[in-house]
Amino acid sequence: MQSQDVAPRPRPAASPADQVVDVEQAEAALVEHYPRLVRLAYLVLPPSLGRNRRVVTAHSLTQRALPRGRASAPVIPAQSAGRDVDLGYAFVRLQVLRTALEAGLPLRRTAFPRRSQLPPLLPQVWGLRLFPRSGGADELALDQRLSALSGPARAVYVLRGLEKLPDGDIRRILGAAGCTDGEEVAAALREADAVPASHHPLLESPEFDPCSLQARPTDLMRRRQHTRAALAAAAALAVCGALVAMPGDGWGPDGAAAPAYAQNPASEAALDPARLTTVNPTAWESSARTDFSVWPARGELTGDKALLRRALAVWARPGESVRVSATPGTPSGGPSGPPQLLYAGNVDSARVVILYDGLRVVRYAEPKDDTKGAALDFARVDGADRAEASAVVLGRADGNVRYLTAPWITGAAERDLLKPNAGAMDLGLTKGITGPFAGPAEQTGDCLSWNVLQLTDATGTRLMTDLGELVPAQLTVGRPGATRNASAARGLRDWAPYACSLASVRSAGVRDVNAWAYATQPLPDAGGAADWVCTRAETWRGGGTRVLAQFHTPGGTYGAVAAKSENGPECGSKDPAVLAGVLWKSAAGHWYLLAAGGPGTSTVAASGGVRASARGNLLAARAGQGSRAELKGVLAGGREISGLR
């Protein structure tokens, strides 16, 4: 069950003489706003703790925010600004913020550590690792930017975005929380300005919710071995007074991986870099298969056994400091046997390894100067065809993306999908690697461009779009069951008004998106003709398909989403039937209900707020502003269909 972050409700203002918080008042505020307070602590705590420890520490700091007795309420910013806010909430929020900032202070040899700097005594979770649910590309980018800020700067950004406080109030809160140096507070405000305010809504996302958690087991076999070893040590100590030490290989060779499980021969074979499989560089030319299984191993570090060992170990046992992401429906467990090596080399400021196990493509990346900050990404690619196995994301940096392409790709270019008449810009290919270009996966704000990757091989050209995942999605056009590449001039024109709608399927495990112009409708009052287009996103896992019925009027830059569906058959190869409607206002000021069905629709009827019917697949009827109607259609074979909502 996901927690609900609710802003504190206004309470009656207290007089200065009454501004005292007792335990009961503080406890009531803590219980009522617990998810919000824990989220605040989680965001301010230093990311270097690791996600599991940040979760437990955030809960611990919040639960210890109660006063020991009656305490003076702080002069909260809301009071000084003339607003009424619960004094209990202001008190516990200040306590949570103070201890979260203390937890990020470095330990000093000359002073005892503060309680918030030590691992929490309570709550304790045994046998599980806990971490919030993974978000999309925007949340990951924000988390990385917050991790680069100082503790006070993170507090500034969170108070701005989560608590909606102005900078003057934030200065007073930081001063009350222990940041008494005015220069330090001013520096924190300037540092927080570097993170765009447009990301404030992302602070409410599940990525930063330590009350809505995922659980994974710790090292089960190792824990059992430790229990047995402890019993053996106790027995030996009782008999002869000797201490028994357990031998181990240490963490060095495996980098950021967690400790090893039991020594199983099959598991050890899968983690041995000497047993990684590779294929002949020309295997794809004679093989009947054209998927990732015929990609050769590329990159200047394919012989770096230490790097490959770390990549395999982290894949099997990612430690707490490893950022793991997976497309929906993609298992993130270790390999069942020795995987295939596709790439190992330096990409920008990271060392990157890409592996393939027949079901998934896995990307391991670590900084060049350390193994801390490693990342592990999974993408499901089973059943990929020649087009879908054309490219894999090699690296992202500063909003740019770089791809590793299939060995059969002979050319790579970038083009703006919103500008169908503009030419493509050559990216160049160096040993199968494209030059960097600004992908759309991380763009925020207004949609002014949508850059896609245009790939060329012996069979023609195709368009691929970055949706924030390892494998780009293919773009096609045409009637379901007879789709074609979208790279031709007609396909580019078909996609241009609807390119920005691709943002709705980011990080959804999409393998291809088809745009089908299923109807053209004359508009009333001599308004010209409008296009009806159905875009359908298919996923690698099969479920989770998303359908948008979009309406585009003459002269408009963008199409408008008229209706949508998820996990439905509409506009698919198994059932291409579709029916959708929209309220439209003509230049003469009249409102109409417009509806269109796909080819083969014999009648369309509306009921409810608008009652009308028409033969064929088009319906136009006068309607009032804000009218609601139910659409029904009948296909040529007599089957009835309902309109998308």
Side-chain angles (χ1 to χ4, degrees):
M1 179 180 296
Q2 292 191 358
S3 61
Q4 299 293 322
D5 290 354
V6 182
R9 294 192 295 270
R11 305 286 179 101
S15 66
D18 295 331
Q19 291 182 359
V20 176
V21 178
D22 55 26
V23 176
E24 290 77 11
Q25 184 179 2
E27 182 182 18
L30 189 148
V31 172
E32 181 179 0
H33 306 298
Y34 185 81
R36 190 177 192 87
L37 292 166
V38 178
R39 185 188 291 263
L40 187 148
Y42 180 82
L43 287 164
V44 175
L45 283 169
S48 59
L49 294 177
R51 290 192 294 173
N52 182 72
R53 171 130 176 228
R54 280 174 72 192
V55 166
V56 177
T57 302
H59 284 273
S60 176
L61 298 183
T62 304
Q63 293 171 14
R64 292 195 287 107
L66 293 178
R68 296 184 181 277
R70 291 171 62 84
S72 298
V75 180
I76 59 175
Q79 289 174 299
S80 61
R83 300 192 297 272
D84 298 330
V85 168
D86 181 5
L87 293 180
Y89 176 77
F91 179 86
V92 294
R93 180 182 65 188
L94 180 60
Q95 293 298 107
V96 168
L97 186 63
R98 177 185 291 120
T99 53
L101 289 173
E102 289 176 353
L105 296 176
L107 294 173
R108 301 182 183 275
R109 293 184 178 181
T110 58
F112 288 105
R114 301 181 183 182
R115 184 177 177 184
S116 58
Q117 294 176 285
L118 300 175
L121 297 176
L122 289 174
Q124 284 287 348
V125 179
W126 295 90
L128 288 175
R129 292 188 296 114
L130 302 177
F131 48 91
R133 298 181 181 276
S134 298
D138 293 336
E139 287 84 351
L140 294 177
L142 176 59
D143 194 27
Q144 291 175 348
R145 302 192 73 164
L146 290 178
S147 66
L149 300 180
S150 64
R154 280 195 303 274
V156 169
Y157 191 82
V158 173
L159 290 174
R160 284 174 176 172
L162 203 60
E163 297 293 297
K164 313 300 182 188
L165 294 178
D167 286 358
D169 293 349
I170 293 174
R171 287 177 181 270
R172 287 189 286 274
I173 285 186
L174 289 182
C179 298
T180 56
D181 187 347
E183 289 297 327
E184 180 186 8
V185 174
L189 289 167
R190 290 193 301 270
E191 190 178 354
D193 289 338
V195 184
S198 59
H199 291 343
H200 283 166
L202 298 178
L203 296 176
E204 304 278 356
S205 72
E207 170 81 9
F208 307 113
D209 184 2
C211 291
S212 178
L213 302 171
Q214 291 180 313
R216 292 293 184 273
T218 56
D219 307 305
L220 303 178
M221 295 302 297
R222 187 169 182 263
R223 191 169 66 199
R224 180 181 298 176
Q225 290 176 343
H226 279 190
T227 302
R228 293 173 178 172
L231 293 175
L237 181 63
V239 173
C240 62
L243 296 176
V244 177
M246 291 185 62
D249 294 332
W251 280 48
D254 293 345
Y261 293 112
Q263 295 182 343
N264 178 275
S267 300
E268 289 183 345
L271 303 181
D272 185 354
R275 300 196 182 187
L276 282 172
T277 62
T278 58
V279 300
N280 190 293
T282 60
W284 64 273
E285 298 178 0
S286 57
S287 174
R289 302 185 61 168
T290 51
D291 57 12
F292 293 102
S293 66
V294 294
W295 278 35
R298 286 169 285 181
E300 69 274 21
L301 299 180
T302 54
D304 188 337
K305 300 301 182 184
L307 171 63
L308 300 178
R309 181 181 298 279
R310 290 195 298 273
L312 291 169
V314 171
W315 179 358
R317 311 182 309 276
E320 291 186 356
S321 64
V322 179
R323 177 174 297 279
V324 180
S325 69
T327 57
T330 304
S332 57
S336 58
Q340 179 181 341
L341 177 62
L342 303 185
Y343 180 86
N346 294 308
V347 181
D348 298 321
S349 60
R351 291 186 292 263
V352 175
V353 178
I354 297 181
L355 303 163
Y356 171 67
D357 69 350
L359 172 67
R360 303 161 294 177
V361 166
V362 181
R363 177 182 180 271
Y364 169 80
E366 65 181 27
K368 285 184 178 179
D369 55 353
D370 198 358
T371 59
K372 293 182 179 179
L376 192 65
D377 303 310
F378 294 85
R380 185 171 174 174
V381 292
D382 51 315
D385 58 20
R386 183 186 183 96
E388 294 162 342
S390 293
V392 170
V393 171
L394 199 56
R396 302 181 190 273
D398 302 324
N400 294 323
V401 61
R402 192 190 301 269
Y403 289 94
L404 176 68
T405 61
W408 52 83
I409 297 298
T410 58
E414 167 196 1
R415 71 180 316 137
D416 187 351
L417 203 56
L418 289 179
K419 301 174 182 177
N421 296 324
M425 183 180 71
D426 182 43
L427 291 175
L429 279 178
T430 304
K431 297 181 179 180
I433 300 174
T434 71
F437 74 98
E442 298 182 10
Q443 71 179 20
T444 58
D446 296 335
C447 180
L448 303 179
S449 65
W450 192 277
N451 294 332
V452 296
L453 178 67
Q454 179 173 291
L455 298 177
T456 303
D457 64 10
T459 64
T461 60
R462 61 184 62 89
L463 298 184
M464 315 292 289
T465 184
D466 179 20
L467 296 179
E469 298 172 332
L470 266 184
V471 180
Q474 181 185 200
L475 299 179
T476 59
V477 293
R479 182 183 176 89
T483 60
R484 59 188 183 278
N485 294 330
S487 56
R490 174 63 185 274
L492 294 173
R493 290 194 299 271
D494 285 351
W495 258 112
Y498 315 105
C500 292
S501 68
L502 290 167
S504 65
V505 292
R506 283 177 177 154
S507 303
V510 173
R511 68 188 302 171
D512 56 63
V513 189
N514 183 60
W516 175 35
Y518 68 89
T520 299
Q521 183 170 26
L523 296 174
D525 297 339
D531 293 323
W532 286 91
V533 169
C534 186
T535 59
R536 179 181 175 91
E538 298 285 355
T539 66
W540 289 98
R541 64 189 183 278
T545 56
R546 299 185 186 182
V547 174
L548 299 179
Q550 304 193 59
F551 180 73
H552 182 229
T553 54
T557 303
Y558 307 107
V561 176
K564 55 187 175 182
S565 170
E566 188 166 347
N567 286 318
E570 298 86 2
C571 303
S573 57
K574 292 184 177 179
D575 187 4
V578 60
L579 174 63
V582 68
L583 281 176
W584 175 77
K585 185 180 180 181
S586 70
H590 302 142
W591 285 92
Y592 292 89
L593 170 65
L594 304 179
T601 305
S602 59
T603 61
V604 178
S607 60
V610 180
R611 293 184 174 275
S613 62
R615 291 186 176 277
N617 67 327
L618 303 176
L619 170 67
R622 286 290 293 269
Q625 182 177 359
S627 297
R628 294 181 176 273
E630 296 286 335
L631 294 176
K632 296 288 184 182
V634 177
L635 302 181
R639 181 165 69 94
E640 187 177 274
I641 59 174
S642 299
L644 296 180
R645 296 180 180 275

